[in-house]
Amino acid sequence: MRLSHSQASTLNSCGVQWVLGRHLRKPEQPRMNTLAGSAVHMITEALDLGRLGIVSFNPTTPSEWKKDPHGVAARVMKDLIKEALDRTEGVYSEKDIRLSGRATKEWPNKHDFDFMVHHIPGWVQNWTDWLDNVPWDIWIAEVGQPGIELGLNFKVGQQDVTGSIDRVLVNHQTGEIAIVDLKGGAWVPKDLAQPELYAYGLFQKF
C-alpha cells in the first residue's frame, strides 16, 4: 500500500474517515477554501514554469495572467468546482460547497466564490513578489526536472510513500536547498512534518 502524507495524516487522526474515503469511496463534500488553494497552486505552478521558459497553458500563461488575473481566477475556480462536484456523482451540488470565514459587511456570504476570485490574484502575487526578492531560485535536478510540484516515490522503513513537493529552491550563494510548502491558511507547528518527510524523500531520490 502506498500512502501520501495527507492520507497518512488522516489515517493517524481518524481511521474511520480514511477507510470511508480510501476504500468505500465516500464522496467528499467540496470546500471553497480547498478549491481556492488548488487554484493558487495551479496558477503559481504555471507562472514558475514560465520563469524557466516553459510555457504551460494549463491553467494559464504568464501573459494571460498579467492581462486578466481575475478572469483567469474565475475560470480556474469554475473548472475546479465542476470537477469536485462531478467526483461526488450527484451527491453534492454547488449550493452544498462548504464556506469558511465569517459574514462581514463587505462579504456577507462569507468566503464564497466571489471572495476567492477577488483574493486569488493577491495571494499569487504574494508568492511571485517573494520569489523575486530573495536569493533563491527554482532548483533543477540533475535529471533536468524542475523543482516545481516535484513528484516523489520513496520508502520509510518498509512503507512506500508518495508525494509532491510544491517547490524545491536553491540558494546559489550558499548551495543550500530548501523545500517550500505553499499554504493559504494559518501555519501550525505540525505543518513541519510534511516538508521534513519530503526532505528525507528528496535526499533518498537524488
Side-chain angles (χ1 to χ4, degrees), residues 65-83:
W65 175 255
K66 184 176 180 180
K67 181 179 179 181
D68 185 17
H70 290 94
V72 171
R75 186 189 72 233
V76 174
M77 283 296 292
K78 288 177 182 177
D79 289 345
L80 288 170
I81 287 171
K82 182 180 184 303
E83 292 171 5

Side-chain angles (χ1 to χ4, degrees), residues 8-77:
S9 297
T10 301
L11 180 59
N12 287 333
S13 62
C14 180
V16 173
Q17 182 181 352
W18 181 81
V19 170
L20 289 173
R22 174 87 179 211
H23 290 286
L24 302 183
R25 303 297 182 185
K26 178 183 178 293
E28 183 177 352
Q29 185 178 8
R31 298 171 178 263
M32 193 66 75
N33 60 345
T34 302
L35 297 172
S38 296
V40 170
H41 272 74
M42 292 172 64
I43 294 166
T44 55
E45 178 182 0
L47 298 182
D48 285 353
L49 286 171
R51 288 174 180 268
L52 303 176
I54 304 170
V55 178
S56 172
F57 293 91
N58 181 26
T60 187
T61 63
S63 59
E64 181 191 29
W65 175 255
K66 184 176 180 180
K67 181 179 179 181
D68 185 17
H70 290 94
V72 171
R75 186 189 72 233
V76 174
M77 283 296 292

Side-chain angles (χ1 to χ4, degrees), residues 12-204:
N12 287 333
S13 62
C14 180
V16 173
Q17 182 181 352
W18 181 81
V19 170
L20 289 173
R22 174 87 179 211
H23 290 286
L24 302 183
R25 303 297 182 185
K26 178 183 178 293
E28 183 177 352
Q29 185 178 8
R31 298 171 178 263
M32 193 66 75
N33 60 345
T34 302
L35 297 172
S38 296
V40 170
H41 272 74
M42 292 172 64
I43 294 166
T44 55
E45 178 182 0
L47 298 182
D48 285 353
L49 286 171
R51 288 174 180 268
L52 303 176
I54 304 170
V55 178
S56 172
F57 293 91
N58 181 26
T60 187
T61 63
S63 59
E64 181 191 29
W65 175 255
K66 184 176 180 180
K67 181 179 179 181
D68 185 17
H70 290 94
V72 171
R75 186 189 72 233
V76 174
M77 283 296 292
K78 288 177 182 177
D79 289 345
L80 288 170
I81 287 171
K82 182 180 184 303
E83 292 171 5
L85 294 176
D86 286 347
R87 286 194 295 270
T88 73
E89 299 180 341
V91 174
Y92 296 110
S93 65
E94 194 161 345
K95 65 180 178 60
D96 298 315
I97 297 176
R98 294 181 63 178
L99 304 180
S100 60
R102 58 185 179 85
T104 64
K105 184 177 181 180
E106 186 178 7
W107 302 105
N109 297 319
K110 300 183 179 181
H111 295 180
D112 61 359
F113 176 87
D114 291 335
F115 176 94
M116 297 304 181
V117 169
H118 177 81
H119 285 88
I120 284 172
W123 295 332
V124 171
Q125 194 65 44
N126 287 342
W127 167 251
T128 58
D129 284 348
W130 181 82
L131 197 54
D132 283 338
N133 291 284
V134 295
W136 296 87
D137 297 314
I138 304 295
W139 179 68
I140 306 296
E142 292 179 358
V143 292
Q145 288 179 278
I148 302 172
E149 300 295 336
L150 184 65
L152 288 178
N153 294 300
F154 59 100
K155 283 184 176 291
V156 177
Q158 299 300 312
Q159 176 64 59
D160 291 322
V161 179
T162 182
S164 177
I165 304 176
D166 291 345
R167 297 295 184 274
V168 183
L169 305 181
V170 59
N171 186 321
H172 293 297
Q173 297 175 9
T174 65
E176 292 175 289
I177 297 292
I179 286 176
V180 178
D181 185 44
L182 300 180
K183 289 188 66 65
W187 179 87
V188 294
K190 70 175 183 178
D191 292 333
L192 286 176
Q194 185 169 1
E196 286 175 348
L197 176 65
Y198 287 171
Y200 177 80
L202 187 71
F203 181 80
Q204 189 178 116

